[in-house]
Amino acid sequence: MKKFDVVSVSLNLTPLDWTGNRQRISNVLQQIKSMLNNDLPKIICLPELSVSGPGCDDMFLSQVTSEKSLEILLQFLPETDHNVLALGLPFSFEGQLYKSTVLVADQKILGIYCSSFLETQGIHYDMRWFSAWPNQSVKQVQLSGQRYPIGDISFLWNDLRIAIVPHLLAENSSDQNNVLQKSASFSKKTPCDLILCPTASPFELGQQQKLRDIILKQSQTFDCPVVYSTLLGIEAGSLVYDGGSMIASDSRLFQCRRFSYRDSCFVSTQFALNENHRLILSKQEPTFSNNLFYSSSNSSDKNENQSEQVALEKWETSEDVLFEEFAKSVALGLYGYLKKCRSNGFVLSLSGGADSASIAILIAFMIESGISELGMKTFLKQFAFIPCVSDIYRRLFLHDNAPILDQKDSAPLFEDSSELTPLPHNHSGSTLSEDCHFRKQNHFRKQSNNGADSKEPRDFFYSNEELRTIVAAFLTTVYQATKNSSEITRQASQEIANFIGSKHYEFDIDPVVELYKRIVSEKLERQLDWQTDDLALQNIQARTRSPSVWLLANVLGGLLLSTGNRSEVACGYATMDGDTSGSLSPIAGIDKAFLRNWLKWLEKQGLSFPSQFNHSKRWAVPALKFINEQQPTAELRPLKDKQTDETDLMPYCVLDLFEKAIIRDKKDCDSVLDFVSTQLKTQNQTFEKKQLIQWQIRFYQLWAHSQWKRHRFASGFHLDQYDLAPNSCCRFPIFSGGFQNEIESLQTRLKTLQ
């Protein structure tokens, strides 16, 4: 029987980075060659548009983009001796541009598959740049004097019938029936031995299990292996990719570890072609590119008909998977954003509230996760453009008396066990809860004399002080007080900063606020007061915080982060040029109700680390009790008013339901109220109908009046299937009728209730 290594690759790309993308592809091909050190032919599937990057946007319309992509494709021909490589690129043919996958084998082009399906919903604008290839149409194209088939084609190589079908997973959640119909029709017209599914599907909360189910279903429907590849990390700035490439066959599924901090990962499994020309799964265990220690499902816990899902970490199937995914995706997004923009770390206004605390904690989690996976030396070296990080790197690894890390990813930083201080639970500088103490006798091991690593997973070690020093090199936080700020938020801000180890400042901006008030009062010839100037007096405090933190960010050369969440984005509950200031808004894609529940969970339970690094370790933040005990408040009115966000707006759980019903689902006025009432009952929440109608009117007004603000908010990460970014997923006119008919109808209903 002929045997093959089938490889699915996750790849971190940057749009239009021709040199960088080519090098990343070459690196992973070399890694595959070295790790799969055998003479078997290899079928390697890279993600969609892997040459140019899928986030080129309108630069796809430039002829240079397709020409340069083709030029780089031809450079890979010598690297495909006895192997098959599926490379994605934009391909120009007969005046049209197509999303194509070129199959290259034995240093030759086998043909060019052009996608007949283009996504049009949500964040996808494929039809702006690409044309859909007519179904079952095949033509000829001439390249470098040779003619090749192009179009809706399958391939025959080494007796293997290979199909490329990216559209099978394009609708991975919204219309599974339609997907399966496409699968059935394809199966009848084109029997095949192997399906390659190169995609660029961005991460969305809660979608991974559905995606796994679809891939397994496709494998069963076609009765052949399905190879799914996707991107890894943050590519163009707002879309985060989890790198969860997979191979499905014989009701088994192998998956790369998601949310990796590496430039690439892959999963490989061996197959054999039997006498009936069928590709069957070998008994050999799958290979993972980053030496991960996975645990397979326990067969005794499954019934006979249940699919065996291999290589899934425990958190992937836990009831807290959404909380885990949220933290890991935002942390990975922050890592990639800083790495690509090359700013000197992050600067954050730490107000003592839930939003800013979440971002500060996610940055600390990003740092510790990156160190755990890559090793201290590799992680710091990637950010050597940050002066403080460069200083730490030199002190640790270049100074004569500094401990030098082994190149291996999991090498311990400190050989002296005295540096392994217990991790305290009094939030005095550790990011771990009390039950996560390292124990030398259980975990700490030196390498053997020959430097060989044990096959068993082990923890990565560093002292509390070293971790705090590293966090301080990456993150500067500042609490900006006015006379309306409380001691509670000041203390909460200080506790969070102490806990994670950020470089923390406190500014008193009240004199500046009073100066602005005095200047305007003199010109108006009257005193500004809360009875007549409430909103203006609130806004000047938030707006005055912007120049000082911008100045700090500019002096440090840092990336200023905005703290708005999705609920605030929906209703415009923010001061322009105030708390909206910043280059990136990391949590703009998540609603406030989810965020508050996540913080409570993080305080008590905590995030999981990859199992191969820390089996029992949980990343909990007890210091969050200072945040979670508060009601969210902007603290812009006098303290005696006891201002809270939900008093100004409505309960966040209600606000988020109105956003889903009105903006996401686009329900009519009457259906909205029914939807919200039903959902609230499932949450054991009850409100009077009159109150709900008043809040629905308020949401209509706030949404319509704040569209101009959404156009000015800093960009954020796409975390949900329907985000509110006006330049991609959620377009709405700046000027509109303002839902006036709906408001009048609701006001009429209010009168009847009264």
Side-chain angles (χ1 to χ4, degrees):
M1 290 191 296
K2 293 182 179 179
K3 290 186 176 181
F4 304 88
D5 281 323
V6 177
V7 187
S8 182
V9 177
S10 302
L11 202 56
N12 195 319
L13 301 172
T14 300
L16 307 172
D17 182 10
W18 306 113
T19 302
N21 289 347
R22 193 208 183 287
Q23 189 60 53
R24 293 179 193 102
I25 296 172
S26 293
N27 289 346
V28 77
L29 294 180
Q30 287 299 316
Q31 190 180 24
I32 291 169
K33 183 178 180 181
S34 63
M35 287 192 65
L36 305 180
N37 189 14
N38 54 46
D39 296 327
L40 297 182
K42 294 168 180 55
I43 303 164
I44 304 169
C45 183
L46 297 179
E48 186 177 59
L49 296 171
S50 50
V51 176
S52 62
C56 298
D57 290 348
D58 280 2
M59 286 306 294
F60 279 127
L61 302 177
S62 169
Q63 186 176 349
V64 175
T65 303
S66 56
E67 290 177 349
K68 190 66 178 179
S69 298
L70 181 58
E71 175 188 328
I72 291 177
L73 166 75
L74 298 176
Q75 294 174 11
F76 279 106
L77 292 181
E79 300 187 36
T80 59
D81 192 23
H82 305 304
N83 295 324
V84 173
L85 180 62
L87 276 168
L89 73 160
F91 193 84
S92 181
F93 179 69
E94 294 183 345
Q96 302 293 319
L97 189 67
Y98 297 97
K99 289 174 70 174
S100 71
T101 300
V102 181
L103 216 61
V104 179
D106 302 321
Q107 302 186 13
K108 298 183 296 184
I109 293 175
L110 298 185
I112 304 166
Y113 170 84
C114 295
S115 180
S116 59
F117 178 84
L118 299 177
E119 294 192 82
T120 59
Q121 296 183 355
I123 59 173
H124 301 288
Y125 288 83
D126 287 356
M127 293 187 70
R128 178 177 175 87
W129 309 300
F130 301 103
S131 298
W133 188 273
N135 281 324
Q136 304 183 44
S137 171
V138 179
K139 295 186 178 182
Q140 295 285 313
V141 62
Q142 186 164 323
L143 297 173
S144 304
Q146 299 289 324
R147 297 183 68 81
Y148 304 101
I150 182 173
D152 187 5
I153 57 176
S154 56
F155 303 85
L156 181 65
W157 176 80
N158 241 344
D159 294 329
L160 267 183
R161 296 164 298 182
I162 304 173
I164 299 174
V165 198
H167 68 261
L168 290 181
L169 302 172
E171 303 160 270
N172 62 10
S173 61
S174 59
D175 189 0
Q176 291 193 27
N177 290 331
N178 196 19
V179 172
L180 295 176
Q181 287 173 9
K182 287 185 174 73
S183 302
S185 63
F186 179 83
S187 181
K188 291 176 182 177
K189 73 177 184 181
T190 314
C192 57
D193 300 304
L194 179 67
I195 294 176
L196 303 183
C197 188
T199 71
S201 299
F203 163 78
E204 291 174 347
L205 282 168
Q207 295 300 308
Q208 186 67 12
Q209 185 56 54
K210 296 178 183 178
L211 185 58
R212 293 188 199 110
D213 291 343
I214 291 176
I215 292 172
L216 283 166
K217 182 66 176 179
Q218 303 308 331
S219 177
Q220 293 163 0
T221 300
F222 291 135
D223 196 20
C224 72
V226 173
V227 182
Y228 166 85
S229 62
T230 187
L231 296 185
L232 171 64
I234 187 166
E235 187 223 11
S238 60
L239 300 183
V240 179
Y241 298 87
D242 64 9
S245 295
M246 293 177 263
I247 299 175
S249 180
D250 295 340
S251 298
R252 302 181 72 197
L253 183 140
F254 309 100
Q255 176 188 290
C256 281
R257 183 170 64 81
R258 299 163 69 204
F259 307 113
S260 172
Y261 288 78
R262 300 170 184 268
D263 282 341
S264 63
C265 295
F266 68 82
V267 55
S268 173
T269 305
Q270 237 177 61
F271 289 89
L273 195 64
N274 67 13
E275 61 276 6
N276 296 321
H277 292 279
R278 294 188 46 75
L279 207 59
I280 57 175
L281 187 63
S282 169
K283 294 182 179 180
Q284 181 173 331
E285 289 299 313
T287 300
F288 300 93
S289 60
N290 42 4
N291 294 321
L292 301 181
F293 294 86
Y294 291 111
S295 58
S296 302
S297 301
N298 189 334
S299 59
S300 63
D301 296 333
K302 309 192 308 294
N303 60 54
E304 293 182 357
N305 297 321
Q306 185 175 343
S307 298
E308 182 180 2
Q309 297 188 351
V310 183
L312 298 183
E313 295 179 273
K314 290 183 178 179
W315 69 263
E316 293 252 31
T317 54
S318 74
E319 60 182 11
D320 302 319
V321 63
L322 294 184
F323 288 159
E324 297 272 9
E325 284 187 333
F326 164 68
K328 288 172 170 59
S329 61
V330 176
L332 183 60
L334 287 165
Y335 168 82
Y337 205 99
L338 183 63
K339 186 178 175 182
K340 292 186 177 184
C341 77
R342 299 180 70 84
S343 294
N344 291 339
F346 299 106
V347 178
L348 175 69
S349 272
L350 192 58
S351 68
D355 298 330
S356 59
S358 299
I359 296 171
I361 288 165
L362 287 166
I363 292 171
F365 179 69
M366 174 270 287
I367 293 169
E368 192 163 352
S369 297
I371 291 172
S372 292
E373 181 177 359
L374 303 177
M376 182 78 76
K377 186 174 185 179
T378 300
F379 181 83
L380 293 179
K381 193 173 183 179
Q382 290 186 105
F383 294 99
F385 54 83
I386 301 175
C388 293
V389 175
S390 178
D391 291 343
I392 296 173
Y393 180 84
R394 290 179 178 277
R395 176 171 61 83
L396 290 177
F397 306 114
L398 300 183
H399 192 278
D400 290 343
N401 297 322
I404 304 298
L405 267 184
D406 192 307
Q407 290 287 351
K408 294 182 181 296
D409 294 334
S410 57
L413 176 60
F414 297 105
E415 293 295 335
D416 182 1
S417 62
S418 65
E419 292 287 344
L420 296 175
T421 56
L423 300 180
H425 64 285
N426 59 355
H427 27 274
S428 59
S430 165
T431 53
L432 301 173
S433 59
E434 183 180 16
D435 62 347
C436 305
H437 293 181
F438 289 146
R439 303 298 184 190
K440 175 183 175 183
Q441 62 271 26
N442 293 335
H443 297 291
F444 185 73
R445 276 190 305 105
K446 295 184 179 181
Q447 288 183 304
S448 59
N449 293 332
N450 61 9
D453 231 353
S454 167
K455 293 181 180 180
E456 295 180 1
R458 61 178 174 175
D459 289 320
F460 191 89
F461 295 99
Y462 39 78
S463 70
N464 295 337
E465 194 56 38
E466 285 293 346
L467 177 60
R468 291 169 58 78
T469 301
I470 293 168
V471 172
F474 277 87
L475 175 62
T476 300
T477 55
V478 55
Y479 178 79
Q480 302 186 79
T482 69
K483 63 185 178 184
N484 296 324
S485 302
S486 69
E487 177 60 24
I488 295 174
T489 55
R490 191 204 67 78
Q491 182 186 7
S493 174
Q494 184 66 61
E495 291 287 345
I496 293 296
N498 287 344
F499 187 86
I500 63 175
S502 64
K503 185 181 295 181
H504 188 65
Y505 300 106
E506 291 188 0
F507 294 168
D508 179 9
I509 64 166
D510 214 46
V512 185
V513 174
E514 293 302 318
L515 174 62
Y516 280 128
K517 289 166 60 178
R518 185 169 68 251
I519 290 173
V520 173
S521 294
E522 289 175 354
K523 296 302 179 183
L524 294 179
E525 297 181 347
R526 71 172 180 84
Q527 290 296 317
L528 303 179
D529 60 58
W530 289 101
Q531 284 68 41
T532 58
D533 309 299
D534 179 284
L535 189 58
L537 290 176
Q538 288 191 66
N539 283 342
I540 190 57
Q541 295 169 81
R543 200 163 280 130
T544 301
R545 293 186 174 114
S546 179
S548 53
V549 74
W550 263 125
L551 177 60
L552 180 63
N554 291 161
V555 169
L556 297 176
L559 179 70
L560 180 60
L561 299 177
S562 177
T563 60
N565 58 70
R566 175 174 173 149
S567 303
E568 293 176 352
V569 171
C571 60
Y573 191 63
T575 300
M576 297 313 301
D577 306 313
D579 51 330
T580 58
S581 296
S583 305
L584 173 68
S585 187
I587 60 171
I590 203 71
D591 61 75
K592 189 62 171 273
F594 179 96
L595 195 66
R596 294 184 69 191
N597 288 332
W598 177 74
L599 289 172
K600 294 173 184 175
W601 173 83
L602 187 58
E603 176 193 348
K604 302 294 184 182
Q605 298 187 49
L607 292 154
S608 64
F609 263 78
S611 59
Q612 73 275 18
F613 300 118
N614 301 286
H615 280 295
S616 60
K617 184 172 168 182
R618 299 290 295 181
W619 203 89
V621 187
L624 279 170
K625 71 176 185 178
F626 296 95
I627 304 293
N628 293 332
E629 290 173 355
Q630 304 177 51
Q631 285 296 313
T633 174
E635 286 196 331
L636 298 176
R637 290 196 182 99
L639 291 174
K640 63 180 179 63
D641 291 350
K642 297 181 180 180
Q643 180 184 23
T644 68
D645 295 354
E646 292 184 318
T647 301
D648 287 351
L649 300 168
M650 64 190 77
Y652 278 116
C653 62
V654 177
L655 189 156
D656 296 330
L657 288 173
F658 278 129
E659 183 249 302
K660 288 180 174 63
I662 297 171
I663 307 305
R664 183 194 69 180
D665 298 339
K666 300 174 178 58
K667 294 181 179 291
D668 62 75
C669 184
D670 293 334
S671 300
V672 167
L673 202 59
D674 294 337
F675 171 83
V676 171
S677 299
T678 301
Q679 292 297 312
L680 286 172
K681 287 180 181 178
T682 65
Q683 301 174 17
N684 296 319
Q685 299 267 11
T686 56
F687 298 96
E688 291 184 1
K689 189 173 184 180
K690 175 182 175 182
Q691 180 65 80
L692 287 175
I693 292 175
Q694 291 172 336
W695 284 334
Q696 185 176 349
I697 292 173
R698 182 144 181 73
F699 182 88
Y700 280 132
Q701 294 170 333
L702 290 171
W703 173 272
H705 294 168
S706 60
Q707 181 64 20
W708 68 277
K709 287 188 175 184
R710 284 186 285 277
H711 281 268
R712 292 191 56 202
F713 283 136
S715 62
F717 300 137
H718 176 79
L719 302 176
D720 200 351
Q721 192 172 6
Y722 300 93
D723 68 38
L724 301 183
N727 61 341
S728 60
C729 194
C730 186
R731 294 178 179 246
F732 191 85
I734 292 177
F735 296 114
S736 68
F739 298 103
Q740 194 57 43
N741 289 342
E742 288 84 350
I743 291 173
E744 290 175 358
S745 174
L746 290 169
Q747 288 173 337
T748 301
R749 292 181 66 180
L750 270 180
K751 291 178 181 178
T752 60
L753 291 175
Q754 292 171 350

